[in-house]
């Protein structure tokens, strides 16, 4: 290729010689752009974005920011609606104090709750709208406040809802009932819920002593109505039956069917720190991981586990009959500041008589139809299509399944194999009465001894 000096342009003489000349790509693109700009000036103006139009990348950012604001607002609304539905302590207090001022109910807590406002309501721990649970402060101590609310009660309900609750809940005993009749009424209630046991007359006497909270030697109608309403709550009945054993929270006071117990155990407080909407969404594996991260060191966990096993023993050999744990989860494994076990929630611990009454004659197609609570399950007789009376798993088997996830991670190497073997043997226990009587106490004793030997000579004991 040569240059024609006259024209100032390259002369492609080599093409006439039959040679192939490659034009550089960059030069080719520049020349094409100049030709396109000269031939299509109007099109170029149309293709150029107006000065006021945002670039595409900025539009995407604006859209993502808007989407984030919308999603965040929706989550805030849903959580607020859930909180307003679950946490209605102000309604509970208004209902109780209204009835106290009318003289319908009474109790050792009423004056501090309604007149002096000395009971401080703090964090909402409710898991269902019908059962209000709050942490609180009373007389300088951390307490747990528990109160029942009618499931159908509107959060904005007025005085008519209070009247309806008064008629339904505090309808017994009626005016004119004598102390003797009230005692008989209480005893019959205890027999229906706990079974016909020789220890129940003493428990009925304890109920009457509790009703006479001002120690004036008589039980007023308001005092009797309050204690009767408390007995209708399963956890309160369990507190009376198991309160002296040390593994259930101690009852501190009551007003009507609102009652106060010792402060929330540590394990329960951590579980309740999660928003209620998130708890069922988290997988079980993540729950276990969080428990290991947030929970105490392994020796402390061993001490808590010993307390849990002792609690199972109390349920099996209780003074007031046998009881079943029908919601066996780590959320109920609480402990004090000294790492002593405390059952965080007794609401799902059911008397054997109540479970058998539920199963008796119940129609079924599969074992899932014979479930009381969350995990108290009996076999289904598919020929008769009726539930059987014995549960598939006793308390100890379900607790051992729980302890496999609670104790084995982080266990000392010299203990892990034997502990795993004992826990596996424990989970194979069935609910048949013959096997429970033969193996229950033996397996329980082996597990407690194994754990206690490991921590007995250390500061953790």
């Amino acid at each position: 290729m040569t240059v024609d000096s006259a024209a100032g342009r390259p002369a492609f003489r080599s093409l006439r010689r039959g040679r192939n000349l490659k034009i550089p790509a960059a030069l080719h693109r520049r020349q094409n752009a100049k030709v396109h700009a000269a031939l299509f000036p109007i099109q170029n103006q149309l293709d150029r974005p107006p000065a006021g139009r945002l670039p595409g990348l900025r539009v995407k950012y604006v859209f993502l920011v808007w989407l984030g604001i919308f999603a965040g607002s929706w989550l805030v609304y849903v959580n607020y609606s859930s909180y307003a539905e679950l946490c209605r302590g102000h309604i509970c207090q208004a209902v109780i104090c209204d009835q106290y001022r009318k003289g319908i109910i009474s109790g050792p807590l009423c004056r501090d709750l309604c007149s002096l406002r000395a009971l401080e309501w703090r964090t909402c721990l409710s898991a269902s709208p019908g059962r209000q649970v709050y942490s609180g402060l009373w007389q300088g101590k951390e307490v747990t406040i528990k109160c029942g609310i009618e499931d159908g009660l509107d959060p904005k309900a007025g005085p008519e809802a209070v009247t309806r609750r008064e008629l339904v809940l505090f309808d017994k005993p009626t005016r004119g009932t004598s102390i003797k009749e009230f005692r008989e009424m209480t005893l019959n209630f205890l027999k229906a819920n706990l079974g016909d046991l020789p220890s129940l007359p003493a428990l009925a006497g304890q109920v009457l002593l509790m009703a006479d909270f001002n120690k004036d030697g008589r039980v007023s109608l308001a005092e009797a109505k309050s204690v009767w309403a408390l007995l209708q709550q399963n956890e309160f009945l369990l507190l009376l039956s198991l309160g002296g054993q040390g593994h259930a929270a101690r009852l501190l006071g009551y007003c009507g069917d609102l009652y106060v117990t010792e402060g929330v155990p540590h394990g329960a407080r951590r579980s309740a720190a999660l928003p209620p909407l998130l708890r069922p969404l988290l997988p079980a594996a993540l729950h276990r991981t969080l428990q290991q991260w947030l929970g105490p060191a392994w020796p402390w966990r061993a001490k808590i586990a010993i307390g849990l096993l002792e609690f199972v023993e109390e349920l099996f050999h209780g003074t007031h009959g046998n009881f079943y744990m029908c919601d066996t989860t780590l959320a109920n494994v609480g402990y004090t500041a000294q790492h002593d076990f405390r059952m965080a929630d007794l609401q799902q611990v059911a008397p054997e008589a109540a479970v058998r009454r539920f199963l008796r004659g119940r129609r079924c197609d599969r074992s899932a139809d014979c479930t009381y609570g969350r995990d108290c399950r009996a076999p289904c007789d598919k020929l008769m299509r009726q539930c059987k009376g014995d549960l598939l798993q006793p308390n100890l088997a379900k607790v051992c399944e729980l302890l496999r996830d609670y104790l084995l991670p982080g266990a000392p190497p010299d203990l892990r194999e034997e502990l795993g073997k004992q826990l596996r043997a424990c989970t194979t226990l069935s609910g048949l009465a013959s096997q429970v009587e033969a193996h229950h106490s033996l397996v329980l004793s082996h597990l407690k001894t194994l754990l206690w030997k490991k921590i007995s000579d250390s500061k953790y004991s």
Side-chain angles (χ1 to χ4, degrees):
M1 181 178 68
T2 61
V3 178
D4 187 350
S5 58
R9 295 188 304 273
F12 297 92
R13 296 176 182 174
S14 58
L15 294 176
R16 291 195 294 268
R17 297 185 187 136
R19 296 179 183 177
N20 294 327
L21 180 65
K22 295 182 180 179
I23 302 175
L27 178 61
H28 184 70
R29 283 195 298 269
R30 285 197 297 271
Q31 288 176 346
N32 285 344
K34 290 178 181 179
V35 172
H36 188 275
L39 295 179
F40 304 103
I42 298 177
Q43 182 66 37
N44 288 337
Q45 292 296 326
L46 293 176
D47 292 340
R48 187 179 304 163
R53 185 183 298 175
L54 290 172
L57 192 59
R58 288 188 182 179
V59 173
K60 290 180 181 178
Y61 284 150
V62 170
F63 174 74
L64 290 175
V65 170
W66 175 85
L67 186 62
I69 294 173
F70 174 79
S73 302
W74 182 80
L75 286 175
V76 169
Y77 170 76
V78 169
N79 278 279
Y80 173 78
S81 301
S82 173
Y83 182 87
E85 177 68 19
L86 285 176
C87 303
R88 298 183 286 173
H90 60 289
I91 296 178
C92 192
Q93 183 173 4
V95 170
I96 290 294
C97 291
D98 178 77
Q99 293 170 80
Y100 168 64
R101 295 186 186 102
K102 291 178 179 178
I104 298 171
I105 61 174
S106 66
L109 187 66
C110 291
R111 188 165 177 266
D112 284 355
L113 176 68
C114 302
S115 301
L116 303 178
R117 300 282 177 172
L119 177 62
E120 181 182 344
W121 298 63
R122 289 187 169 180
T123 307
C124 174
L125 306 173
S126 304
S128 65
R131 185 166 179 264
Q132 295 298 294
V133 182
Y134 279 76
S135 65
L137 190 67
W138 185 47
Q139 297 180 350
K141 300 177 182 178
E142 288 191 358
V143 297
T144 305
I145 309 167
K146 299 188 178 183
C147 176
I149 290 185
E150 184 181 342
D151 289 338
L153 190 61
D154 192 325
K156 299 180 181 179
E160 68 281 354
V162 175
T163 304
R164 185 173 68 252
R165 175 178 168 82
E166 170 190 323
L167 293 175
V168 173
L169 182 62
F170 300 105
D171 58 341
K172 293 180 181 179
T174 57
R175 186 173 298 277
T177 303
S178 66
I179 292 293
K180 181 179 179 181
E181 290 171 335
F182 181 61
R183 181 187 178 91
E184 191 67 25
M185 177 178 160
T186 303
L187 183 59
N188 291 335
F189 174 83
L190 294 175
K191 287 180 179 179
N193 286 273
L194 301 178
D196 193 358
L197 303 170
S199 61
L200 294 188
L203 186 60
Q206 182 182 341
V207 172
L208 263 68
L209 287 175
M210 180 180 297
D212 182 21
F213 73 93
N214 54 9
K215 309 302 179 187
D216 62 354
R218 55 185 292 272
V219 178
S220 66
L221 184 61
E223 291 171 340
K225 283 180 179 290
S226 299
V227 171
W228 181 258
L230 284 169
L231 287 174
Q232 312 309 308
Q233 299 194 43
N234 182 66
E235 184 179 51
F236 185 83
L237 182 60
L238 268 293
L239 284 175
L240 286 180
S241 304
L242 304 171
Q245 305 297 333
H247 294 126
R250 189 164 55 93
L251 180 69
L252 300 179
Y254 65 89
C255 179
D257 68 331
L258 180 149
Y259 60 99
V260 168
T261 63
E262 291 175 319
V264 183
H266 290 291
R269 184 179 290 125
R270 285 195 177 94
S271 174
L274 293 172
L277 286 179
L278 293 181
R279 294 176 209 167
L281 299 180
L282 295 179
L286 183 56
H287 272 296
R288 291 192 294 268
T289 304
L290 288 175
Q291 179 67 28
Q292 294 167 23
W293 286 348
L294 300 177
W298 188 89
W300 289 129
R301 278 185 278 153
K303 182 180 180 182
I304 296 166
I306 292 173
L308 176 58
L309 293 171
E310 290 174 347
F311 178 70
V312 171
E313 194 170 16
E314 292 166 9
L315 296 182
F316 184 62
H317 299 292
T319 306
H320 304 302
N322 294 333
F323 297 87
Y324 294 130
M325 298 173 65
C326 295
D327 189 7
T328 317
T329 61
L330 283 177
N332 287 330
V333 179
Y335 54 92
T336 66
Q338 291 76 35
H339 295 90
D340 294 320
F341 170 77
R342 288 290 184 275
M343 190 67 180
D345 187 7
L346 287 173
Q347 191 67 19
Q348 295 300 325
V349 177
E352 182 182 20
V355 176
R356 289 191 178 277
R357 184 169 61 248
F358 171 83
L359 296 174
R360 189 183 301 121
R362 188 175 183 83
R363 300 282 296 174
C364 65
D365 295 316
R366 52 200 174 105
S367 294
D369 299 329
C370 305
T371 305
Y372 183 96
R374 193 180 74 92
D375 54 16
C376 281
R377 182 172 298 180
C380 174
D381 188 337
K382 295 185 179 179
L383 184 62
M384 301 295 294
R385 293 203 170 186
Q386 285 189 349
C387 297
K388 296 182 179 180
D390 292 324
L391 297 182
L392 292 172
Q393 278 187 308
N395 293 330
L396 184 57
K398 292 187 288 187
V399 165
C400 286
E401 285 186 359
L402 203 66
L403 292 181
R404 287 171 68 177
D405 296 326
Y406 189 66
L407 284 180
L408 288 181
D414 59 332
L415 181 71
R416 187 179 296 117
E417 183 178 354
E418 180 62 23
L419 180 60
K421 179 182 176 182
Q422 293 280 356
L423 290 174
R424 282 192 300 271
C426 174
T427 57
T428 61
L429 287 172
S430 74
L432 297 176
S434 59
Q435 191 184 55
V436 169
E437 291 291 342
H439 301 291
H440 190 284
S441 297
L442 185 62
V443 172
L444 189 60
S445 177
H446 283 173
L447 276 172
K448 286 169 57 179
T449 303
L450 185 66
L451 293 173
W452 187 250
K453 281 183 177 179
K454 194 64 183 176
I455 65 172
S456 59
D457 296 330
S458 66
K459 65 177 182 179
Y460 301 99
S461 61

